[in-house]
Amino acid sequence: DAGVIQSPRHEVTEMGQEVTLRCKPISGHDYLFWYRQTMMRGLELLIYFNNNVPIDDSGMPEDRFSAKMPNASFSTLKIQPSEPRDSAVYFCASSDLGHRNYGYTFGSGTRLTVV
Amino acid sequence: AQSVTQPDIHITVSEGASLELRCNYSYGATPYLFWYVQSPGQGLQLLLKYFSGDTLVQGIKGFEAEFKRSQSSFNLRKPSVHWSDAAEYFCAVATSKTSYDKVIFGPGTSLSVIP
């Protein structure tokens, strides 16, 4: 199993530009999570999906952020327009809660820098 | 509200010494508890989890954790630390039996290992 795959690993963009982060969860996992990690705020849950349906997006900081999961094997997190304060590491994680593999499996993250 | 605290921001130990990382939670019912490790530039990896039963839980990489309900604690231990254990460690709690898909992470403890 290749694990949770995120792309790109690093992204540098200018303020005001659109940024799209991508995630491929582990096959068979029915939950997908987007987290943001910063030194100041630690790990923050942004949004999570169950069976491709958004369940809780209360952690999404503002309307500039949006997330989609068009199918069970792909999700995107989009920031439009991006701002310097969005600079962080964004993690995608998936989970299989219907079986014995509890707990999340995290991807390696996307380090976003907005200049 | 549920919360997780990790009193130690940073710990330094000598290689071969024993290790204990502290974790305290605030939650009214039976918690579901996790420890994760994050190596530099990597995503979080699940070390171990506690759902019920034996309060001493064994995990990967030689780690164990003990759930103490009376102290609301779930401390992580390792009898002999290796240099490769230098990383960030996160304690986490799932908020309920029906929504343990949504997990609250502690702020993390950074571990340095002196050769």
Side-chain angles (χ1 to χ4, degrees), chain B residues 5-14 16-24 35 47-48 55-56 62-68 71-82 85 89-91 108-113:
Chain B
T5 57
Q6 294 178 246
D8 304 305
I9 296 174
H10 184 251
I11 286 181
T12 300
V13 299
S14 297
S18 64
L19 171 70
E20 182 169 27
L21 302 181
R22 297 184 290 164
C23 171
N24 295 98
W35 274 100
L47 282 176
L48 48 78
T55 56
L56 185 62
F63 286 93
E64 67 178 25
E66 186 171 13
F67 170 56
K68 293 185 178 180
Q71 299 178 18
S72 297
S73 69
F74 188 57
N75 294 349
L76 181 71
R77 301 194 293 251
K78 186 170 185 178
S80 178
V81 171
H82 188 263
D85 294 324
Y89 291 81
F90 294 89
C91 180
T109 296
S110 177
L111 174 67
S112 296
V113 180

Side-chain angles (χ1 to χ4, degrees), chain A residues 33 37 48 56 97 102 104, chain B residues 36 38 41 43 51 101-102:
Chain A
F33 306 81
Q37 185 180 42
Y48 76 97
D56 186 346
L97 298 177
Y102 301 114
Y104 299 157
Chain B
Y36 287 84
Q38 183 180 28
F51 277 14
D101 50 303
K102 190 174 177 180

Side-chain angles (χ1 to χ4, degrees), chain A residues 35 45 104, chain B residues 1-6 23-36 46 48-51 67 72-74 90-97 99-107:
Chain A
Y35 280 88
L45 176 65
Y104 299 157
Chain B
Q2 297 82 6
S3 65
V4 179
T5 57
Q6 294 178 246
C23 171
N24 295 98
Y25 66 89
S26 172
Y27 183 59
T30 301
Y32 297 81
L33 298 161
F34 308 82
W35 274 100
Y36 287 84
L46 180 65
L48 48 78
K49 56 185 180 283
Y50 170 80
F51 277 14
F67 170 56
S72 297
S73 69
F74 188 57
F90 294 89
C91 180
V93 60
T95 55
S96 78
K97 188 175 183 178
S99 64
Y100 52 80
D101 50 303
K102 190 174 177 180
V103 176
I104 298 172
F105 286 87

